[in-house]
Amino acid sequence: MILNGTAASPGIGIGRVALVEEPDLSYTSRTVEDTAAETERFNAAIAAYVDYTNAQADTMREQVGEKEAEILTGHVVMISDPFMQGEMTKLIDGGTCAEDAVVQICEMFATMFEATGDELTMQRATDVRDVKTGVLAELLNKRPVDIGALPQDTIIVTHDLTPSMTAGIRPGVIAAVVTETGGLTSHSAILARAMELPAVLSLPNACAILKQGDLLIVNGTAGAVTTEPTDEELALARNAQAAYAAEKAELAKFVGCRSVTADGHQIELFANIGKPEDATGAMERDAEGIGLFRTEFLFMDKPTVPTEDEQFEAYKKAAIICKGKPVIIRTLDIGGDKDVPSLGMEPEENPFLGFRAVRYCLAREDLYRTQLRALLRASAFGDIRIMVPLVTCIDELTAVKDLLARYMLEFKQEGIAYNPDIQVGIMVETPAAAIMADALAEEADFFSIGTNDLTGYTMCADRGNEKVRYLYSTYNPAVLRSIKRVIEEGNKAGIMVGMCGEAAADPLLIPLWISFGLGEYSVSATSVLATRKQVSLWTKAEADELAEKVMQLKTAAEIHDALQAAKK
C-alpha cells in the first residue's frame, strides 16, 4: 500500500518503524499554597531544561552543524526570556501550580502564532510547544525517548519531529522520518534536509496506521510511503537509492563553479534566509549572496520590538558572514496575517489586502526609522541592499527613499558611517507592481519577483485554502506573462531583476527564466547546487525555443506537461 504525504526532504529510506511518542506528561492540576516552594521547583525545572537542551545543542553542533544547533539554543533563549518566565511566575504567585503556568503561557504564545495563518510564523508554535514539553518533562521527571539508542535502518514515525528529538539522531543509523504534521518550512523539514534524511511529513494518522517494526520504503522526493513492500518494490527502491547517491555526487561537482548556462550566459545564484546565522549555511552551500533576508523573524522572536542597535548587529553579522557578497534585506513584512505581539496590531477582516508590509511601516515611522537606520549603519560593513515589500505604487517607494535620505543626513551630521549609494529595490509581488513595472524600474535599483504572493494575488487564490488551491499555480499563463513583463521592463531599464519565490528553484521553470532574462535566482540554501546544475543544462537558444512554444499554451496543465516533457 502506498500512502501519500508532503515531500519534505529528498531521498529513499528503507527500514523498520520505530514509533516515537512523547512521554506521558499528564498531571493533576492543583492550587498551590506554598508559592515560594513552587517557584523554587519551577526555577529548578527551567535550569534543568536549559542544561539538558544546551547539551543536546552541543551534540547537534558536532553531528550536523552550527545552524541546526541554533534551533535548540533558540529554545533556551525562548524559555530564558524574562517576559515569558515573568508571566509564568505571576501565575504561580497567584496559586497556580508550575505545570499549569507553563502550559497556559506556552499555549497562549503558540495559539497566537498559529492564528497568523502564515506558515513560517506558525512554525513558532511548534517551537513553543517543544519548550513546553521539555519543561513539563523536567517538572514531572520524565525525559523523552532516547533516539540515540535506536537500531540501524530505523524509520522514525512520530506526530512531529521536534528539534529536541532530532538531537539524538545518529548519522547513518536513522533511514528516514515520517510525521503526521509539518510542512516544507517547518523545523522538521529543515532539520531532515540538513541531516540528509529522507522525510515525508503531514501523513494523516501515520502513528495509527504504521506499526512498530513494519518494513517501509520512504520516498522523500515523491512524498510517498510504501508499506509491506514486495521484493520487486524493494529492488526498485534500492536502485533509486543508488541513483540518488549518484545524483548527489554529480551536484558536488558544481561547488565553486560559476553559475552559467550551457552557452556561457551568467546568472547570480543567491539564497533566502530568516536569521543572520542562516547566512553561514548559505555560504557553506556555495550561494553567491543573499537574495532575501526576512527580517520579521527578528521581531517575532522577542516580546519587545528590537532596538536599532539589536537590528544593526543582526544585519551587520549577515554582511560580515557574506564577506562582501550582496545581502538583500527585506524591510519588515508584517501586518494583518503576520502578528507580532509587541506591536499590538489589530485583527483585520481581510488581512492579505490590508494594513501590512510597507503600508504599515510608512504609517509607523517610529518603527520604520529604527529599522532603516539600522540597515544604513550596517551598510558600512558589506554590500547590503534594501528591499521594500508589497509595493503597489511609486509613491510607496519614493516615500521610503525620502526617509532614507533624511536618515543619511542625520548620520552625516552625527559622523556615523554608512553607504551613501546603498541600493533600494522592491519586491514585485502584486499585480499593480507588475503592471507598473516600467515606471517602477525608473525609481527602483532592482526588482525581486516574489512568485508566492504574485501567484496568489494574480489568481485571487489562497494557497492555504483547499477549495481554491487548484488555481494557485505559477504555471498559469497569467502568472507567467506577468513575470515575463516584469523581467523585460527591468532589463530594459538596466536594473537587476531577481526572483526570491519558490519558483526560482523549480527545475521545470528554469528554462523559462533563462529565456525571459532573469538575472538573479534566490533559493533555499539546500537548492543552490541543484539550481546551478539545472541552469547549466540549457543554452539560451534552447530555452527561447521552449518558451516560445510554452507561452502560446492556454492552461497551467498544458504548460506543466510541456515543461515536464522538455525536462533535462
XYZ file of all heavy atoms in Angstrom, residues 475 508 546 558-568:
113
model
N 2.524 28.020 -12.921
C 2.470 27.582 -14.320
C 1.326 28.248 -15.080
O 1.255 28.143 -16.300
C 2.288 26.062 -14.399
C 3.429 25.264 -13.829
C 3.322 24.632 -12.596
C 4.624 25.138 -14.525
C 4.368 23.899 -12.067
C 5.675 24.404 -14.012
C 5.545 23.782 -12.776
O 6.590 23.062 -12.263
N 11.543 22.715 -13.653
C 10.748 22.801 -14.878
C 10.685 24.232 -15.399
O 10.605 24.459 -16.615
C 9.330 22.280 -14.629
C 9.178 20.824 -14.207
C 7.699 20.439 -14.192
C 9.950 19.887 -15.134
N 11.852 26.702 -26.318
C 10.835 26.119 -25.441
C 9.849 27.186 -24.968
O 8.630 26.962 -24.951
C 11.510 25.455 -24.242
C 10.567 24.840 -23.190
C 9.710 23.734 -23.802
C 11.371 24.303 -21.996
N -1.449 22.400 -19.377
C -0.738 22.263 -20.658
C 0.717 22.718 -20.524
O 1.641 22.076 -21.035
C -1.434 23.101 -21.736
C -2.775 22.542 -22.191
C -3.469 23.474 -23.163
O -3.209 24.697 -23.126
O -4.273 22.991 -23.971
N 0.896 23.822 -19.818
C 2.248 24.361 -19.647
C 3.102 23.412 -18.808
O 4.257 23.127 -19.143
C 2.189 25.764 -19.016
C 1.617 26.754 -20.035
C 3.567 26.212 -18.531
C 1.363 28.136 -19.496
N 2.537 22.911 -17.719
C 3.278 21.971 -16.870
C 3.699 20.739 -17.672
O 4.850 20.291 -17.598
C 2.433 21.557 -15.669
C 3.096 20.525 -14.798
N 2.996 19.162 -15.051
C 3.893 20.648 -13.714
C 3.702 18.504 -14.159
N 4.254 19.372 -13.327
N 2.765 20.192 -18.433
C 3.062 18.980 -19.202
C 4.139 19.233 -20.252
O 5.020 18.389 -20.482
C 1.785 18.455 -19.868
C 0.795 17.890 -18.854
O 1.200 17.688 -17.687
O -0.367 17.661 -19.226
N 4.092 20.401 -20.893
C 5.087 20.725 -21.913
C 6.473 20.878 -21.287
O 7.475 20.415 -21.841
C 4.695 22.003 -22.639
N 6.525 21.528 -20.128
C 7.810 21.704 -19.451
C 8.337 20.375 -18.918
O 9.540 20.118 -18.949
C 7.657 22.714 -18.300
C 7.363 24.162 -18.725
C 7.084 25.021 -17.494
C 8.517 24.747 -19.532
N 7.428 19.530 -18.440
C 7.830 18.213 -17.944
C 8.415 17.374 -19.085
O 9.428 16.681 -18.907
C 6.622 17.494 -17.328
C 6.922 16.118 -16.748
C 7.816 16.180 -15.531
O 7.550 16.907 -14.593
N 8.894 15.413 -15.548
N 7.793 17.452 -20.242
C 8.273 16.675 -21.398
C 9.646 17.159 -21.869
O 10.437 16.376 -22.405
C 7.266 16.778 -22.544
N 9.933 18.440 -21.635
C 11.202 19.005 -22.108
C 12.302 18.939 -21.050
O 13.453 19.303 -21.336
C 10.986 20.462 -22.518
N 11.967 18.476 -19.858
C 12.934 18.481 -18.747
C 14.201 17.699 -19.089
O 14.144 16.627 -19.666
C 12.291 17.887 -17.493
C 13.202 17.921 -16.274
C 12.543 17.297 -15.064
C 13.480 17.293 -13.868
N 12.872 16.637 -12.691
N 15.351 18.272 -18.704
C 16.639 17.600 -18.950
C 17.122 16.919 -17.677
O 16.842 17.361 -16.577
C 17.666 18.617 -19.415
C 17.336 19.204 -20.780
C 18.508 19.988 -21.304
C 18.216 20.519 -22.706
N 19.394 21.189 -23.294
